[in-house]
Amino acid sequence: TNTPLPEDFSLASTISVNDGAWHHVAVTRSGNFMEIFIDGDFNTSGSASNVLVPVGNVPLTFGSLQTNLNYFKGQLDEIRVFNTVRSESQIESDMINPNPIGTPEVGFWRFEEGTGQLVSNSGTLGATNNGKLGSSGGVDASDPLWALRVKNTADSGSESLR
């Protein structure tokens, strides 16, 4: 028999987010049921019977499959992981609030280091779940690039990636 890998179940949004604008994308998972929210609005859902819960030391990856294939072409910022399923109203609030309402995130990677390979986790699990950029411990040509934050008065004076 073929044993599915944790990434064998995927769910794609029904709208495109490659329009040059920034989008907030949230994915919830409860057992084998997943939902996608884009810019705070429910987009689609799906379920599968072959979704495995990783056991042991399986890395959580963003921007590629765990096999380091099919890289995401774009920028990622402020990735949060919660150990509870967020409601649509909580997701809407999370988009603009740096401090989530309800259960705090166990993983929160702000991507503000600007250099190096380490991405610090400021969630409740802290340094036990710091991340690394790229597929190796050292700097190499295939590593993702850091994007710098700038002040933009069009964004009410808040910092944003541009």
Side-chain angles (χ1 to χ4, degrees):
T1 62
N2 289 337
T3 304
L5 296 171
E7 72 258 16
D8 280 352
F9 174 65
S10 63
L11 183 63
S13 68
T14 61
I15 63 171
S16 177
V17 292
N18 64 348
D19 58 3
W22 281 98
H23 293 280
H24 181 273
V25 178
V27 178
T28 65
R29 176 179 167 185
S30 179
N32 293 337
F33 182 73
M34 296 173 70
E35 294 179 308
I36 295 178
F37 296 82
I38 298 178
D39 296 327
D41 296 323
F42 172 78
N43 178 260
T44 191
S45 63
S47 61
S49 60
N50 68 340
V51 177
L52 298 178
V53 176
V55 177
N57 190 17
V58 177
L60 177 62
T61 58
F62 300 102
S64 77
L65 297 175
Q66 290 177 357
T67 54
N68 291 315
L69 298 173
N70 300 322
Y71 292 103
F72 173 75
K73 293 179 180 146
Q75 294 178 330
L76 300 174
D77 191 31
E78 296 189 356
I79 295 175
R80 300 178 189 207
V81 174
F82 295 85
N83 61 1
T84 59
V85 177
R86 308 292 282 170
S87 68
E88 186 168 356
S89 63
Q90 287 173 316
I91 290 169
E92 289 172 350
S93 174
D94 293 344
M95 287 176 25
I96 57 172
N97 187 353
N99 301 308
I101 297 170
T103 305
E105 63 273 342
V106 295
F108 186 14
W109 299 270
R110 297 176 187 266
F111 292 87
E112 294 179 350
E113 291 81 358
T115 62
Q117 296 291 105
L118 181 70
V119 182
S120 297
N121 177 14
S122 59
T124 60
L125 291 181
T128 59
N129 287 301
N130 285 336
K132 70 174 183 174
L133 296 181
S135 59
S136 70
V139 177
D140 58 56
S142 64
D143 282 349
L145 302 174
W146 288 102
L148 301 177
R149 293 180 177 274
V150 296
K151 290 279 188 183
N152 185 335
T153 55
D155 292 335
S156 304
S158 63
E159 291 181 1
S160 62
L161 290 173
R162 293 282 181 226

